[in-house]
Amino acid sequence: MRKALDFLTQLAKNNNKPWFDEHKEEYKAAKATLDALALDFMHGVEEFDPRVSGLGIKDITYRIYRDLRFSHDKSPYKTWYGAYVCPKGKKSGMAGYYIHFEPAAGTYFICGGLYNPTKEVLKSVREEIMLEGDSFAEALSRCDDFSLPWDEALKRIPTGYDESDAHSEYYRLRSYTLIKPLKKADVLKKDFLQKALADLRRTYEFNEILNKCFDYAMENPS
């Protein structure tokens, strides 16, 4: 694992095709290590969330090659590794479970929930909070060592929602993700995956609520 993270660190310092081509075998070794971890992660999630069954490695991981078409940054390669396990795969738009390693930036975290939902799904989540806010808050209370993305939230309650509602502060969120930062030392421990899965298991009920909202939005398009 350490060698895989070291490769990503070196790639961040040498983010160009000639260097990458010269170190292709190191890349393949790092990818094999990280992909094996991602598959173990997926199988661990399957034990408590059967909705994610039937996925393959391409359904939960991301290509190292960056899409440069609309980016001012022309660095050709991603310098992070992530695995997102959710029902129907990473492109489904559903809530799930994520691990992220970005050693050059010192950024490591695990995450459960729903990132950047469509406006239809966002509306469905807010309606769920309006109607079943106590259950929503109770699911969150089981993950009190995770944080929500308040720094990206709206400044005010969105139009059409009552700020006097008991859980109105959650209307302001634009993503419903629960994030737990980690350190490199945490990731390198032998029991990293075991602890990560135990933590993410506590986000299961929250994800179930979010995916119920997703299902409703898909079945009842506005």
Side-chain angles (χ1 to χ4, degrees), residues 105-116:
T107 302
Y108 304 87
F109 62 87
I110 58 175
C111 179
L114 184 62
Y115 175 71
N116 196 24

Side-chain angles (χ1 to χ4, degrees), residues 120 215-222:
E120 293 83 8
D215 291 340
Y216 182 84
M218 296 301 101
E219 293 167 2
N220 301 274
S222 56

Side-chain angles (χ1 to χ4, degrees), residues 27-43:
Y27 162 66
K28 290 179 180 179
K31 184 177 186 302
T33 297
L34 293 167
D35 282 355
L37 178 71
L39 287 173
D40 287 343
F41 175 57
M42 180 188 71
H43 294 315

Side-chain angles (χ1 to χ4, degrees), residues 60 181 197:
I60 65 173
L197 287 166

Side-chain angles (χ1 to χ4, degrees), residues 22 97 104:
E22 286 180 20
Y97 313 86

Side-chain angles (χ1 to χ4, degrees), residues 54-82:
L55 302 177
I57 190 66
K58 291 183 179 180
D59 299 314
I60 65 173
T61 59
Y62 303 85
R63 297 175 74 246
I64 197 169
Y65 305 99
R66 297 180 62 244
D67 184 350
L68 306 180
R69 290 174 297 173
F70 308 107
S71 176
H72 293 295
D73 178 5
K74 299 303 180 182
S75 302
Y77 308 108
K78 300 184 180 83
T79 57
W80 53 268
Y81 185 91

